[in-house]
Amino acid sequence: MADAKVIPFDEDRPRRRMPRRVRAVPGPGPAEQEPLAPAPEPAPEPGPEPEAAPAERGDGWDRRIAGGLAFLRRRVTGEYEVDDFGYDKELTDQVLMSLMRPLYDKYFRVEVKGVENIPAEGGALIVANHSGTLPLDGLMLQVAVHDHHPAERHLRLLAADLVFMLPVVNELARKAGHTLACAEDAQRLLEAGELVGVMPEGFKGIGKPFGDRYKLQRFGRGGFVSTALRAGTPIVPCSIVGAEEIYPMVGNAKTLARLLGIPYFPITPTFPWLGPLGAVPLPTKWTIQFGEPIPTDGYAAEAAEDPMLMFNLTDQVREQIQHTLYKLLVQRRSVFF
C-alpha cells in the first residue's frame, strides 16, 4: 500500500477550482456562453475577534525577560554608573520607582496639580511642607515629579543626617538620589541643572502632634533661599495634603526616644499597640500642588549674604505653601476619598 500524505491541521488545504456550467443561447451564430450566477452565500455571523497569535502574546514577555536578565548582568558585572553622590539612575528607574508606584497610585491615590510650574530643564529648588511621622511624603514627591512631568525629571532630595546613619536605608537613599542636607551639596546639584527638593521643617514637621496638623513649623534660618540665590535658580513652593493623617501622632515617648537616639518615638492609635501591623499607614487620599516659581536670578551676587532679603524670601515661600494648604483642605471632600 502506498504511503499516505499527512496534512497538518494548521495548513490551508488547496481548493479545487470547479468548472463553471454554461448553457447555450439560441441564435444565428455559434452559441454564446453565459455563466450561471452562483447562489448568494449567507452573510457570516459576527463572532469574537481572533485572538493574538501565541508568538505575538509572547513578544512582550520575551522583551521583559531579556531586559531583566540584561539588568541583572549589568548589576553583577558592575557595568552601571553612579554619580559623585552615589545616585544610581538605572536602579531608581527600574526598581525603586516600580516599588513605590503601587503605593503612590493605588494606596494613596495621589493627585498632582501645577506640575507645569516645574522648569523643563535646568536647576530648580522645590520647597515642600513635611509631615506624616515617617517621611513617606518625600518618596511620593519623587514619584510625582518623575511620573507627571513631561520631561520625566528626577528629584534629588536633601535628607537629614539620621537617614545616612541607618543601615540599609543609607545605601538605598543614596541610590535613589538623596544627599546630605548641606548648602554645598545642594548648590553643586543646582548648578549642575538638577531638581533639588528640600523640606525645611525637618523633624519638627514630621514629628509634630496630630493637633498641629497642617500648621507649618519654623523654616530654619533660610539656608535654602541662600543656596538658590547663589545658584540663580527658581524656588518652587510645594504643598502636600494627605500625609498628616497616615500616622496620627497622639503622643511622644520622649524618654524612649532619647534612649534610642532618635528625635521622637511616636505613639499613634495603632502603634505600638498592634505591633508591626501598627506601622501600616492609613490609606488617605493625597494631593500635591506645585505653586508658581519664585525667580532668584535677578538678584546681585552679594544678595545671598543679605539677611533681610533671605528672611523676606523665606517668609514668602512659607506663606505661599501655608495658603495653598488651607485652600486644598477646604476643597477636600474627605480624608480618605
Side-chain angles (χ1 to χ4, degrees):
M1 180 183 295
D3 293 338
K5 180 181 178 182
V6 178
I7 301 177
F9 286 109
D10 56 352
E11 261 186 37
D12 293 334
R13 299 187 180 185
R15 298 181 179 177
R16 295 182 57 189
R17 192 174 184 85
M18 300 298 294
R20 293 182 299 179
R21 298 174 56 192
V22 300
R23 57 187 176 87
V25 179
E32 296 180 0
Q33 296 182 351
E34 179 184 1
L36 291 174
E41 297 181 359
E45 296 182 0
E49 295 183 359
E51 295 184 2
E56 295 177 3
R57 290 198 303 266
D59 283 348
W61 284 107
D62 290 345
R63 285 193 296 269
R64 291 184 184 180
I65 293 173
L69 292 175
F71 172 78
L72 291 175
R73 179 185 61 79
R74 288 192 296 273
R75 309 313 294 185
V76 172
T77 59
E79 297 177 4
Y80 57 91
E81 296 180 357
V82 297
D83 67 6
D84 295 340
F85 299 93
Y87 173 50
D88 189 334
K89 181 178 182 300
E90 183 184 47
L91 182 70
T92 301
D93 283 346
Q94 299 196 24
V95 178
L96 301 181
M97 283 286 181
S98 299
L99 292 175
M100 293 188 290
R101 204 163 276 129
L103 192 65
Y104 176 92
D105 287 328
K106 306 298 183 183
Y107 199 77
F108 294 135
R109 295 147 291 148
V110 182
E111 180 183 359
V112 177
K113 300 179 179 180
V115 73
E116 66 277 1
N117 290 318
I118 300 175
E121 57 184 13
L125 185 66
I126 297 179
V127 182
N129 60 304
H130 206 12
S131 61
T133 306
L134 290 181
L136 295 181
D137 51 358
L139 301 179
M140 297 301 101
L141 185 59
Q142 278 190 289
V143 181
V145 172
H146 180 269
D147 286 6
H148 292 270
H149 196 278
E152 296 184 349
R153 301 199 65 180
H154 290 84
L155 182 65
R156 309 292 296 272
L157 285 173
L158 303 180
D161 300 2
L162 179 62
V163 173
F164 302 103
M165 295 170 58
L166 299 174
V168 182
V169 174
N170 166 31
E171 192 67 23
L172 288 176
R174 290 205 177 274
K175 294 288 187 183
H178 302 183
T179 189
L180 192 63
C182 66
E184 291 78 12
D185 286 355
Q187 186 172 344
R188 283 180 60 193
L189 289 170
L190 288 172
E191 290 175 347
E194 298 283 355
L195 279 182
V196 178
V198 62
M199 295 172 165
E201 292 176 280
F203 290 119
K204 299 188 301 294
I206 57 174
K208 64 177 176 287
F210 188 65
D212 292 337
R213 60 191 179 279
Y214 299 115
K215 296 177 183 177
L216 292 184
Q217 305 299 299
R218 186 169 171 267
F219 267 24
R221 300 178 181 177
F224 68 91
V225 171
S226 175
T227 302
L229 285 169
R230 287 191 174 92
T233 55
I235 300 173
V236 181
C238 176
S239 302
I240 304 174
V241 165
E244 292 276 15
E245 295 89 0
I246 60 173
Y247 296 111
M249 186 169 163
V250 296
N252 178 14
K254 295 181 179 179
T255 303
L256 187 55
R258 282 195 298 268
L259 292 175
L260 295 175
I262 55 180
Y264 55 89
F265 188 90
I267 297 175
T268 74
T270 58
F271 182 82
W273 325 115
L274 299 183
L277 188 61
V280 177
L282 297 178
T284 59
K285 175 75 170 61
W286 287 33
T287 302
I288 298 178
Q289 179 161 338
F290 300 97
E292 294 185 6
I294 300 171
T296 64
D297 54 355
Y299 294 96
E302 61 272 12
E305 307 299 331
D306 184 349
M308 187 57 67
L309 176 62
M310 284 195 296
F311 175 80
N312 290 336
L313 285 176
T314 301
D315 193 54
Q316 180 183 351
V317 174
R318 187 179 181 277
E319 287 299 319
Q320 188 168 336
I321 295 173
Q322 184 69 80
H323 176 74
T324 305
L325 285 175
Y326 287 149
K327 185 175 67 174
L328 293 174
L329 288 171
V330 170
Q331 296 172 353
R332 184 169 68 167
R333 296 177 301 170
S334 166
V335 173
F336 299 101
F337 304 103

